Amino acid sequence: MHYFVFQRIKMNQTKKLLIIGFVWPEPNSSAAGGRMMQLISIFKENGFEITFASPALDSDFMIDLTEFGVEKKSIELNSSSFDDFIIELNPDVVLFDRFMIEEQFGWRVTENCPQAIRLLDTEDLHCLRTARQKAFKENRTFELNDLLSEEVAKREIASILRCDLSLMISEFEMEVLNNVFKIDSEILFYLPFLVEEIKEEDFLKLPTFEDREHFVFIGNFLHEPNWNTVQYLKEAIWPLIKKQFPEAVLEVYGAYPSQKVLQLHQPKDGFFIVGRAVDANEVVKKARVVLAPIRFGAGLKGKLLEAMQCGTPSVTTSIGSEAMHANLPWNGFIENDIAKFAKQAVLLYGEENIWKQSQKNGVAIINECYQKNKYSNKLIDIVSLLLIDSENHRLHNFMGSLLQHHTLKSTKYMAKWIEAKNKKD
C-alpha cells in the first residue's frame, strides 16, 4: 500500500499522454466515444497533459476536445511526418485506440520513443465479435475454438502482446485471452465502463412508471450488431409483441442510419425509425422498456448500461447481458427464445411491480460493477509502476518482445513502401 502511495506522489510530476484515436470521440453517437471520454477524464484528473491525435477526418458530431483541456492533432497514415511529431512531443505514455491503430503506429512509437509506455484500449475483443458474426451468418453454433482460426485474432493478439498493458472492458474477454490464447494476466487490466454512483436522491428524480411510455432501441448503425438487432426486432419479435399488445410502439434511435434502416419505418405497425437522438439520455429516461435482442457481438453494451442509469428496465439476450451484471439479478429479463422474449417484454411493460424491481436491480448493478473510483486509481497505480519499471515488465513479456522485434521490421517496411508509393503517385 505504501509503495502505491509513493508511486502516486511521483506522478505529481506532469506526464504526457498521447492518445491515438481510430476516430475522433463522439460520446453522443456511440458507447466507444463515451468510453474514450472516461479514459481522458481519468488521466486528466491525475495530472496528465493529453494530446489526442487521429488520422480520421473531422465529423459533425465529434466532441470539442479543447473544452476538456486536450490538444487535438491530425496525423497521417504511412507518413514519416508522424515520426517528427512524436519525437517533438516525446510522450511518457501512448494509448492506442483499438488494435488497428497499434498496427499502424505502434512500430513508429517503439522506434522513436522506445521508453514510452504503450497502452492498448481494445474497446471489445474484435476477433470474438467477428467469429460470432461469422458463425451466426453460417447458421452454426459459435465455439471458442473458432477464434483460433480467425485471421483477425492473429492480428489482435499480436497487438495485445506488443503492448505493455491492454485495457479490457469485459471479464469474459479476459477469460478468453487467458484460457484460449494463454495471454499472461500481467499484461491485461480489467476496466469496464465507469460511471457515477446512483444515490437514492438521484433515483427518486427518475421518471416514474406512469410517466413513461413506449419501447425503445438505441444504437449506432455503423455497428453491425445494432443493424442486425433492428432487423430481428422488425421481422421476428415486434409482430409477436404487437399481437399481445396492439397499442405497443417501438421507437428506434441511432446515429448514422442507412437507407436500408430507414426503410423499416412503418408507423402503422407502431415501428418508428427516428434516427439520431439529440439527447440519448432523455430518450431512454422517457421510455418504459429498452429492447435489445442482440444476436452477436462482444464487449459490454453501452445501451444497456445507459438504460440502467436512466432507470429503464430492459429485455435482452445472453449475448447482450454478457459480463455486465456479475451474479446480480438483471435489470429486466434475459431471454434468447423469440416467443419468450416477446412475452417478457409485454410483461415488463405492463406490470408495475416487476418493472420497479427490475429498475432497482439496474441501480444495484451500476453501484456494484461500474464505480469509477473502484478502478480509476488502480489504473493510475499500474501506469505509475510501468513508468518506473518498464524494463523489468517488458523482460517478462518475452512473446511481446519477440513480436515487437519481427513486427517492427515487417510493418515498418510495408509502411515505408506505401509512403514511397504515395509520393510517386
Side-chain angles (χ1 to χ4, degrees):
M1 178 61 71
H2 296 300
Y3 188 64
F4 283 131
V5 172
F6 170 72
Q7 300 309 326
R8 193 165 300 127
I9 291 171
K10 293 280 287 183
M11 288 299 294
N12 287 337
Q13 302 168 7
T14 301
K15 298 293 182 181
K16 292 181 182 178
L17 168 66
L18 170 64
I19 301 174
I20 309 178
F22 183 69
V23 294
W24 301 108
E26 292 187 22
N28 292 326
S29 299
S30 70
R35 160 78 161 189
M36 181 53 69
M37 295 310 297
Q38 290 169 12
L39 289 172
I40 288 173
S41 172
I42 291 171
F43 283 100
K44 198 70 182 172
E45 288 168 7
N46 283 275
F48 279 80
E49 288 182 2
I50 304 176
T51 300
F52 193 105
S54 177
L57 297 174
D58 287 3
S59 75
D60 293 336
F61 302 100
M62 60 190 273
I63 201 161
D64 185 355
L65 290 166
T66 60
E67 290 185 1
F68 297 85
V70 176
E71 183 181 350
K72 177 179 179 289
K73 173 71 176 178
S74 292
I75 53 177
E76 296 180 35
L77 295 171
N78 304 306
S79 172
S80 57
S81 61
F82 179 84
D83 301 342
D84 300 330
F85 158 67
I86 198 169
I87 289 170
E88 183 180 352
L89 182 65
N90 193 25
D92 300 282
V93 181
V94 177
L95 172 63
F96 302 104
D97 172 24
R98 287 166 265 202
F99 81 90
M100 302 84 79
I101 286 295
E102 190 279 334
E103 282 184 327
Q104 288 286 341
F105 295 99
W107 70 270
R108 293 186 184 272
V109 171
T110 300
E111 190 169 79
N112 295 294
C113 293
Q115 298 306 314
I117 301 305
R118 299 182 296 270
L119 306 180
L120 172 65
D121 185 33
T122 58
E123 292 290 351
D124 62 20
L125 207 53
H126 289 64
C127 61
L128 178 62
R129 172 156 44 92
T130 302
R132 280 175 166 167
Q133 182 173 340
K134 187 179 292 184
F136 170 78
K137 290 188 173 181
E138 293 173 0
N139 197 29
R140 58 180 174 79
T141 301
F142 166 75
E143 303 286 348
L144 283 175
N145 281 341
D146 293 346
L147 294 169
L148 297 173
S149 58
E150 192 60 49
E151 188 65 29
V152 72
K154 298 177 177 66
R155 296 170 53 200
E156 189 167 25
I157 299 306
S159 181
I160 288 171
L161 285 167
R162 285 192 296 265
C163 288
D164 296 309
L165 191 71
S166 290
L167 311 182
M168 305 302 302
I169 204 167
S170 162
E171 288 183 304
F172 174 74
E173 293 176 9
M174 295 270 284
E175 293 173 8
V176 168
L177 291 176
N178 290 152
N179 299 330
V180 178
F181 295 108
K182 312 304 179 188
I183 302 294
D184 190 338
S185 296
E186 290 297 310
I187 63 170
L188 304 176
F189 182 77
Y190 174 56
L191 191 72
F193 290 124
L194 303 176
V195 299
E196 299 298 331
E197 178 185 3
I198 298 182
K199 299 177 181 177
E200 187 173 358
E201 56 265 33
D202 302 321
F203 182 74
L204 294 173
K205 291 177 186 175
L206 293 169
T208 63
F209 177 85
E210 294 83 1
D211 292 336
R212 298 168 181 250
E213 62 178 354
H214 304 329
F215 295 95
V216 72
F217 171 85
I218 191 163
N220 188 320
F221 286 107
L222 296 179
H223 192 53
E224 180 65 22
N226 287 335
W227 159 237
N228 180 269
T229 297
V230 173
Q231 277 185 303
Y232 191 38
L233 275 167
K234 180 66 173 64
E235 297 169 4
I237 295 174
W238 190 243
L240 297 178
I241 291 176
K242 286 292 283 185
K243 187 174 182 180
Q244 298 172 58
F245 181 23
E247 297 82 21
V249 170
L250 172 61
E251 295 177 337
V252 176
Y253 289 85
Y256 304 106
S258 64
Q259 190 56 41
K260 62 184 180 181
V261 175
L262 297 174
Q263 286 176 350
L264 297 181
H265 180 70
Q266 289 190 350
K268 64 181 178 64
D269 294 332
F271 199 94
F272 293 82
I273 302 294
V274 186
R276 179 183 290 272
V278 176
D279 187 332
N281 203 262
E282 284 302 309
V283 165
V284 179
K285 276 184 181 177
K286 291 176 181 176
R288 189 175 289 180
V289 174
V290 166
L291 299 180
I294 300 164
R295 292 190 283 184
F296 55 84
L300 302 183
K301 312 306 179 289
K303 62 179 65 62
L304 295 174
L305 180 64
E306 182 177 51
M308 296 178 203
Q309 289 178 283
C310 294
T312 311
S314 62
V315 187
T316 189
T317 58
S318 55
I319 291 286
S321 65
E322 181 180 87
M324 285 203 67
H325 60 116
N327 294 316
L328 298 173
W330 184 247
N331 174 46
F333 294 105
I334 300 168
E335 187 55 68
N336 296 320
D337 178 81
I338 294 176
K340 290 178 181 177
F341 189 102
K343 182 180 179 180
Q344 302 288 48
V346 173
L347 177 67
L348 187 57
Y349 192 98
E351 293 292 334
E352 185 172 359
N353 289 337
I354 295 175
W355 187 91
K356 285 183 174 179
Q357 183 57 55
S358 297
Q359 185 186 58
K360 290 178 182 177
N361 292 348
V363 172
I365 291 168
I366 282 180
N367 291 345
E368 175 65 26
C369 303
Y370 299 98
Q371 284 310 292
K372 183 177 179 180
N373 292 338
K374 187 175 180 179
Y375 297 100
S376 57
N377 289 342
K378 291 180 182 178
L379 174 61
I380 296 302
D381 282 341
I382 196 168
V383 170
S384 302
L385 287 169
L386 287 171
L387 283 165
I388 288 170
D389 198 23
S390 61
E391 186 176 342
N392 185 55
H393 178 81
R394 289 170 179 174
L395 183 66
H396 288 86
N397 180 17
F398 180 76
M399 291 304 295
S401 299
L402 183 71
L403 282 167
Q404 196 69 258
H405 174 77
H406 290 287
T407 306
L408 186 64
K409 290 180 171 56
S410 60
T411 313
K412 173 180 177 178
Y413 291 115
M414 173 60 76
K416 286 190 173 294
W417 178 82
I418 293 172
E419 183 178 8
K421 183 176 182 296
N422 289 340
K423 286 179 180 178
K424 186 178 180 181
D425 293 344

